[in-house]
């Protein structure tokens, strides 16, 4: 195998490590990039290098940005006394895409898990408690998954913040446009428990 061929194979191996890409998908993606080298591959490589050099975790909330504070934390208009707690940055970005929440965020970096040995000190829970006091937060909205670990984490945070601020969580249950036939038992149970009058 020549050095050039090995370089291509190394790129395919690296691409295959990305979420959602297996070896075959990575091979197709690399082939497409090579065929569109000037229009796609070179700008992508430059952009990836810039992100590698400049991206960092926000010291306040854990979001990804290019400065010590992300754009959300640097925006004084977002300091409205509300913090939305999410498990990871992808959840934060999903909330921002919706464009509904106008406060600030706090990224935990995971959920509590006794099986995996992940405790409160392994997450950004102590930093959240500190922020609630320092930023005079009135409400913490827990936007955590409806998994056992997500709910355990939510209950732990609610206990830690008891008496300091209001703690709420996102509604859970049947999503808009969802069909009962496609939902798991836990989602149906949560939807029935959280039912409301019409």
């Amino acid at each position: 195998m020549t050095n050039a061929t090995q370089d291509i194979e190394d790129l395919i191996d690296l691409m295959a490590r990305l979420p959602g890409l297996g070896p075959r998908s990575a091979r197709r993606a690399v082939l497409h990039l090579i065929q569109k080298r000037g229009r796609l591959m070179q700008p992508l490589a430059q952009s990836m290098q810039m992100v590698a050099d400049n991206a960092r975790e926000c010291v306040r909330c854990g979001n990804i940005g290019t400065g010590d504070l992300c754009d959300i934390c640097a925006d004084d208009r977002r300091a409205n006394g509300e913090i939305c707690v999410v498990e990871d940055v992808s959840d934060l970005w999903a909330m921002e895409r919706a464009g509904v929440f106008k406060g600030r965020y706090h990224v935990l970096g995971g959920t509590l898990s006794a099986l995996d040995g992940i405790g409160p000190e392994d997450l950004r829970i102590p930093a959240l408690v500190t922020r609630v006091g320092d930023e005079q937060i009135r409400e913490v909205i827990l936007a955590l998954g409806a998994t056992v670990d997500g709910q355990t984490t939510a209950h732990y945070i609610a206990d830690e913040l008891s008496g300091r601020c209001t703690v709420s969580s996102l509604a859970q249950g049947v999503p808009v446009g969802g069909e009962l036939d496609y939902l798991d038992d836990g989602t149906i149970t949560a939807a029935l428990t959280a039912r409301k009058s019409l």
Side-chain angles (χ1 to χ4, degrees):
M1 187 177 288
T2 66
N3 284 343
T5 305
Q6 185 59 52
D7 290 344
I8 293 169
E9 288 300 320
D10 291 345
L11 179 57
I12 291 168
D13 289 342
L14 286 170
M15 294 282 285
R17 295 181 195 171
L18 295 173
L21 287 182
R24 291 178 66 168
S25 297
R27 189 169 298 282
R28 282 194 303 272
V30 168
L31 182 59
H32 181 75
L33 287 170
I34 291 170
Q35 291 170 342
K36 307 288 185 194
R37 189 172 313 147
R39 287 194 333 239
L40 189 58
M41 189 177 215
Q42 289 171 345
L44 177 64
Q46 290 169 353
S47 183
M48 288 178 75
Q49 186 62 55
M50 290 204 38
V51 170
D53 292 342
N54 299 317
R56 61 179 63 121
E57 192 174 275
C58 175
V59 296
R60 183 180 290 160
C61 75
N63 189 13
I64 302 296
T66 55
D68 288 337
L69 290 179
C70 69
D71 292 343
I72 296 169
C73 287
D75 185 350
D76 289 336
R77 294 171 298 176
R78 302 293 293 254
N80 64 1
E82 296 178 350
I83 289 180
C84 181
V85 177
V86 294
E87 184 177 335
D88 57 39
V89 174
S90 63
D91 297 329
L92 185 157
W93 291 358
M95 292 287 292
E96 277 298 285
R97 268 195 319 270
V100 178
F101 181 67
K102 301 301 180 194
R104 290 185 173 161
Y105 294 91
H106 190 83
V107 179
L108 292 177
T111 55
L112 297 173
S113 175
L115 289 174
D116 297 323
I118 300 173
E121 299 298 327
D122 299 312
L123 303 176
R124 300 185 74 244
I125 294 175
L128 172 64
V129 174
T130 301
R131 283 186 72 190
V132 166
D134 291 350
E135 297 178 33
Q136 293 140 8
I137 299 301
R138 295 185 315 274
E139 182 180 11
V140 169
I141 302 162
L142 301 175
L144 303 174
T147 63
V148 171
D149 289 343
Q151 294 308 298
T152 300
T153 306
H155 287 297
Y156 181 86
I157 291 171
D159 287 345
E160 286 291 301
L161 297 178
S162 179
R164 300 175 193 235
C165 65
T166 301
V167 179
S168 61
S169 66
L170 295 183
Q172 297 174 353
V174 179
V176 174
E179 296 181 34
L180 292 178
D181 190 34
Y182 294 103
L183 301 178
D184 62 86
D185 296 344
T187 302
I188 292 172
T189 301
L192 188 58
T193 304
R195 65 188 181 277
K196 60 181 181 179
S197 301
L198 294 176

